[in-house]
Amino acid sequence: MGQVFGQRYEVTEKLGAGGMAQVYKGKDTILGRFVTIKVLREELLADELLVKRFYSEAQSVARLSHPNIVSIYDVGEEDGKPYLVMEYVEGRSLKEVIREKKKLPYQEAVGIAIQVCRALAHAHEHDIVHRDIKPQNILLTPGGQVKVTDFGIARSTASTTLTYNGSIVGSIHYLSPEQAQGQPADARSDIYSLGVVMYEMVTGRLPFEGDSGIAIALKHLQEEPVPPRNYAPDLPKDLEKVILRTLRKDPDARPQDARDLARQLERFTAAGPDATQEIPVVTPRRKLRPWAKVAIIMGALALFAIAFLLGSSILAVKETTVPDVYNQPVEQAFAKIQEAGLKPVIAGERNHDTIPKGYVISQDPAANKKVKRGQTVSLEISSGPALVTVPPVRGLSVRDAELQILNAGLTVDPNHNEVYDPDWPKGVVIAQDPEAGQQVSKGTPVRLTVSLGPRSQPIKAPDLRGMTVEQAKQRCEELGLNLGSISFEENYEYFSGQIVRQDVEPQAPVAKGQTINVIVSKGPGPPPQTAEVTYEVPKDGRDHVVKIVVIDATGQREELKDTRVASGTKIKRSVTFYREGIVQVYLDGVVVAEKKVP
């Protein structure tokens, strides 16, 4: 408790743990809202493939933006552990509700299933398959809103999951037959899993139980479920048919997309097919005489015979095949449907991220189905991509800007424009295209201009010759430079340990952070030389203090220390110097003579 992730998400409470992650409630200290934090279990960190999937799939799911889907806000790593930050949902899981109520009224179950369908439809349109739809991943807010969580995130190999080639495919009780066989999951696999959830909601029990995971998987593959009306007699017959259709072994026999399933379920949200109907009052009539009864019966038999004889030619209606008009212009779709002897009608319009405006999104009946000629084919038409508002990200870090853009339903252009800017620190967004506030299609890429910070001014390279390595390193650090490689050579001009040459000429312009490489003398250095110093003290009758100083390649030293000398005294002194030097004579602390040697 109290740990902070990403320098902003503070853990306030542990919510639980799963086979893959520890789950915590946290607070976003920047935005002041509660979040859910999922931290990958420590024992899974060695699985590089699992960690990679955790990151890549979390980033892809962050593109989803739907009221029935738990939003992903952030993904990162803290102390070597990957973590995921998600929307915090007040409420309970559907599994908890089922355990409490045993089974739900079918109207309530249908309402929940429709909202799950809408979440799945949004995900499937973004090429994301959930793969693990189950009541534990369906959250219910106090207001009745459904929030589907854990979209596309890999799971650990627990007792209630199956794994194929290291890829975890779902929880066993809700697993589709194709997943049980190790085949790839698609949108129809999610529909099967939702069918299991609907069965459980209305009956209070699962369609397939067993002593082991393998036994349950085999039932998914081989057995048909007990009709739910056996456990819930008040369930409408047509709703039972819909549920059983979602549980077909063959994916082609199930509803082909979540929106189609939602439309089928919407019939049961008000008056179901078994609703009470008004029965007309039968007016009592007089008893017919025997001969009249015979006449009526004979007349009815005659009419039946005529209908039977003419039925094959008059009443028979030929069948036709519904053409596939998905993703076709509405005019072309109408022509194909009419050519097949059917009647096209537009059932409605909605936004679609990839199908252009005026093109068919879905059809009912489905393509290639055999139907009677003259039947109506309902078409849903695209009104083009939904428009979203570009969020303002100027002044944010690149990471925070990308999250804001993804949460808005847009994408990030990976090619950032990077520029030097004296007013903005490095790594901060200083411009965006499109601009904030513009209305654009969902999925539109936003290109960011990112500051590289102020452009550094060139400086002059220092003269490192004659310095020791430590002196040179300190001088470079003072100027924001780096001392690079150090090599050695025999040298007669510089003493052992002194820098002889540098690869950047002294006073040459260099940028901060640049490296200077040097060559150091390993001796023997310059030979000693001697010079004769002669000086006559002034004849003024007073004593004076005399000092002789030599400045050469070794530095500065006193060859004659302060000595009191009588007026008029002539001083002669032999001094040693290296390479070249300067000899100075001090009289009473003041330089009175100076000579360069040799």
Side-chain angles (χ1 to χ4, degrees), residues 306-356:
I306 294 170
F308 179 79
L309 292 172
L310 296 178
S312 59
S313 58
I314 296 176
L315 302 179
V317 180
K318 294 182 179 179
E319 286 190 335
T320 185
T321 301
V322 179
D324 185 357
V325 294
Y326 175 75
N327 201 11
Q328 295 182 19
V330 64
E331 298 84 358
Q332 181 178 326
F334 267 52
K336 282 189 175 182
I337 292 169
Q338 290 168 343
E339 187 178 339
L342 302 169
K343 298 177 181 178
V345 295
I346 296 177
E349 292 187 5
R350 63 179 171 89
N351 295 114
H352 198 284
D353 293 340
T354 58
I355 297 179

Side-chain angles (χ1 to χ4, degrees), residues 136-178:
Q136 293 90 331
N137 289 336
I138 299 171
L139 307 179
L140 303 177
T141 70
Q145 185 180 18
V146 167
K147 291 278 189 177
V148 180
T149 188
D150 279 2
F151 261 90
I153 305 300
R155 280 165 184 79
S156 66
T157 52
S159 60
T160 56
T161 59
L162 284 183
T163 302
Y164 295 94
N165 299 325
S167 177
I168 299 153
V169 294
S171 299
I172 190 67
H173 286 97
Y174 305 88
L175 203 68
S176 68
E178 57 269 23

Side-chain angles (χ1 to χ4, degrees), residues 356-512:
K357 183 177 182 179
Y359 281 59
V360 176
I361 298 174
S362 66
Q363 62 183 88
D364 185 22
N368 302 317
K369 188 175 182 180
K370 294 287 186 181
V371 298
K372 300 290 186 182
R373 281 183 171 272
Q375 186 170 330
T376 297
V377 178
S378 300
L379 304 178
E380 192 174 21
I381 310 301
S382 170
S383 55
L387 294 180
V388 296
T389 303
V390 179
V393 296
R394 187 169 181 262
L396 299 180
S397 67
V398 173
R399 182 183 180 189
D400 286 347
E402 289 177 341
L403 286 170
Q404 293 275 6
I405 291 167
L406 292 174
N407 283 337
L410 304 169
T411 59
V412 179
D413 188 329
N415 301 312
H416 299 327
N417 181 31
E418 296 183 327
V419 297
Y420 290 101
D421 193 292
D423 300 322
W424 293 93
K426 184 177 180 180
V428 171
V429 176
I430 60 177
Q432 62 185 89
D433 183 25
E435 291 286 345
Q438 289 190 24
Q439 294 285 310
V440 297
S441 300
K442 288 184 69 176
T444 296
V446 178
R447 190 175 191 204
L448 304 177
T449 299
V450 182
S451 172
L452 291 172
R455 189 186 296 274
S456 58
Q457 296 296 321
I459 59 176
K460 292 181 179 180
D463 188 351
L464 305 178
R465 293 172 298 181
M467 294 184 183
T468 65
V469 171
E470 281 302 316
Q471 290 170 337
K473 185 177 180 182
Q474 181 177 347
R475 180 60 177 149
C476 287
E477 288 177 352
E478 290 171 356
L479 297 173
L481 303 173
N482 299 310
L483 187 64
S485 64
I486 301 170
S487 55
F488 295 85
E489 68 172 26
E490 188 178 83
N491 190 276
Y492 291 87
E493 186 178 1
Y494 289 91
F495 294 102
S496 176
Q498 287 183 320
I499 293 174
V500 176
R501 289 190 304 279
Q502 58 195 71
D503 65 348
V504 179
E505 288 296 321
Q507 304 304 308
V510 291
K512 284 197 174 185

